[in-house]
Amino acid sequence: MRKQRRDTLTAMLFISPWLIGLAVFTFYPLAASLYYSFTDFDVLSKPVWIGAGNYSDMARDAVFWKSLYNTLFYAAFAIPLGLILSLMVAVLLNQAAKGQSVFRTLFFLPSIVPLVAVSMIWIYVFNGDFGLLNYLLAPVLDFINRIIGTDFQPPNWLVDPYLTKPTLILAGLWQIGGTVIIFLASLQDVPRSLYESAELDGANPAHKLWHITIPIISPVIYFNLIIGIINALQFFVTPFILMPDGSTNRSGLMYTVYLYDNAFRFNQMGYASAMAWVMFLIVVALTWGATKLSRKHIYYAGA
C-alpha cells in the first residue's frame, strides 16, 4: 500500500509541470475570457459586470455581421477547394516517377515559410499598380482588347470589393502543403491488392480513385475537413497584412481581424472575449454538423 502511494506521488510529481501549464495557460484564460465576455473591460481598469450587454451589442453591430459573413464566405469556398486540390496533388505525388522526393519537397516548402513573409510576397503579387499578377495579365488583356475591341483593364485585387475575398481564398490555397502530406501518408496505406483486383475487372484510374482510394482514406478526409473548418474560421495573418482595415466597404474584413481590433486597437476586451466565445460555439456547431453529415460515408477498416 505504501509502495502504491509512493508510485502515485512520483507519477504526480512528473506530470505536475504539464498540469500546472494546462491550468495556467489553458483553463485560466478560458475561464477569464468567459467572465470578461460579461463585463465592460478595457484592460486598463477593473472589469464592470454588464451581463449579456456585449452579446446584445454584437447582435446590433453591422461590422460584426459583415466580418462573420466574410469569414463564412471564405470558409465555404476555401475548405472544399483546399481539400480537393490537396487530394489531387497527393495522388499525383504518390505516383512512381523520377524526382518524386523533389516534387514532394517543393509542394511542402510553402507550409514551413512564415505566414508573415508569405503575406508580404502576396502584397507584391496582387498589387493593382505594380503587382506581378497584373504584369502577366496585362499583355493578355491587351491582346483580347485588340481582337474584340473591348477595354478590359487589370483588376485591383486588394481594393475591388468583388475581388477581395477571392484574393484571400487564392492566397489561402498556398498553404496546402501540410494537408497534402497527411493525404500522401494515408495513400501509402491503401492495399495494392485492391487496385490489382480492380484492374483485372477493367477499372480505369477514375474508377479506382472513386471506388477504392476515397473510401479507404475517408477517415483522413474527415480529419482534414475538421481541421480545415477550424483553420478557415481562424484565418488571420494573411487578411491582417493584406487588408488590415478590411479594404473597400470592409469586404475583406475577417472575423478574427475584427476580434483583434476590438481587443488591442479599441481596448474593448470584454466585447472581444464575447466574440471569441461566439466563434467557439460556431466552430463546435459546424464540427458537429460535419460529423453528423459525414458519419455514414466514413469507412473504418475492421469496424
Side-chain angles (χ1 to χ4, degrees):
M1 188 67 181
R2 182 176 297 177
K3 182 178 182 304
Q4 184 179 4
R5 183 180 300 175
R6 188 171 59 249
D7 290 344
T8 303
L9 288 175
T10 303
M12 292 297 293
L13 185 64
F14 274 103
I15 66 172
S16 57
W18 182 84
L19 291 176
I20 293 172
L22 184 68
V24 173
F25 298 111
T26 301
F27 289 152
Y28 172 72
L30 276 174
S33 68
L34 181 60
Y35 169 69
Y36 291 147
S37 72
F38 294 101
T39 66
D40 182 7
F41 183 38
D42 63 1
V43 183
L44 301 176
S45 54
K46 289 184 178 179
V48 178
W49 182 267
I50 58 171
N54 287 322
Y55 294 94
S56 58
D57 290 344
M58 206 181 302
R60 296 189 296 270
D61 185 355
V63 181
F64 164 80
W65 291 109
K66 183 76 174 181
S67 65
L68 181 60
Y69 166 77
N70 291 339
T71 304
L72 294 178
F73 182 96
Y74 169 82
F77 287 92
I79 294 171
L81 285 175
L83 284 176
I84 294 171
L85 185 60
S86 301
L87 181 58
M88 290 173 61
V89 172
V91 170
L92 290 175
L93 293 177
N94 195 43
Q95 307 302 313
K98 191 175 182 180
Q100 184 189 57
S101 57
V102 175
F103 286 115
R104 290 179 177 179
T105 304
L106 288 176
F107 275 96
F108 184 67
L109 274 180
S111 298
I112 60 176
V113 178
L115 277 176
V116 174
V118 174
S119 300
M120 295 303 294
I121 294 174
W122 286 125
I123 290 178
Y124 290 102
V125 171
F126 289 118
N127 188 282
D129 297 323
F130 52 85
L132 176 63
L133 185 56
N134 280 356
Y135 176 78
L136 299 173
L137 196 58
V140 178
L141 293 178
D142 288 341
F143 177 76
I144 294 175
N145 290 335
R146 285 197 302 272
I147 296 297
I148 60 177
T150 53
D151 188 27
F152 293 131
Q153 297 296 325
N156 200 329
W157 302 92
L158 302 177
V159 177
D160 189 330
Y162 294 105
L163 293 176
T164 49
K165 284 188 281 293
T167 300
L168 291 174
I169 292 170
L170 285 175
L173 291 177
W174 184 253
Q175 299 289 323
I176 62 170
T179 309
V180 170
I181 291 297
I182 295 173
F183 274 135
L184 195 55
S186 69
L187 291 173
Q188 310 293 314
D189 290 335
V190 180
R192 307 303 303 175
S193 58
L194 295 179
Y195 291 131
E196 293 168 359
S197 300
E199 289 171 359
L200 292 175
D201 292 335
N204 59 33
H207 289 148
K208 289 189 285 186
L209 176 66
W210 185 253
H211 295 289
I212 297 176
T213 305
I214 290 180
I216 293 293
I217 67 169
S218 56
V220 179
I221 296 175
Y222 167 72
F223 171 79
N224 282 329
L225 171 64
I226 300 302
I227 297 299
I229 291 173
I230 296 171
N231 289 338
L233 296 181
Q234 295 180 349
F235 191 44
F236 175 73
V237 176
T238 302
F240 181 74
I241 293 176
L242 263 63
M243 307 166 193
D245 294 320
S247 191
T248 308
N249 296 331
R250 295 192 174 96
S251 57
L253 180 65
M254 292 290 120
Y255 191 95
T256 49
V257 176
Y258 187 48
L259 190 156
Y260 173 88
D261 286 344
N262 276 290
F264 301 107
R265 289 181 63 190
F266 311 143
N267 287 337
Q268 296 181 341
M269 191 60 76
Y271 191 79
S273 298
M275 286 187 66
W277 275 95
V278 169
M279 174 55 70
F280 171 74
L281 294 176
I282 292 173
V283 170
V284 171
L286 291 179
T287 303
W288 178 81
T291 303
K292 291 285 288 184
L293 291 174
S294 60
R295 180 178 299 171
K296 294 182 180 178
H297 304 287
I298 299 177
Y299 167 75
Y300 292 100

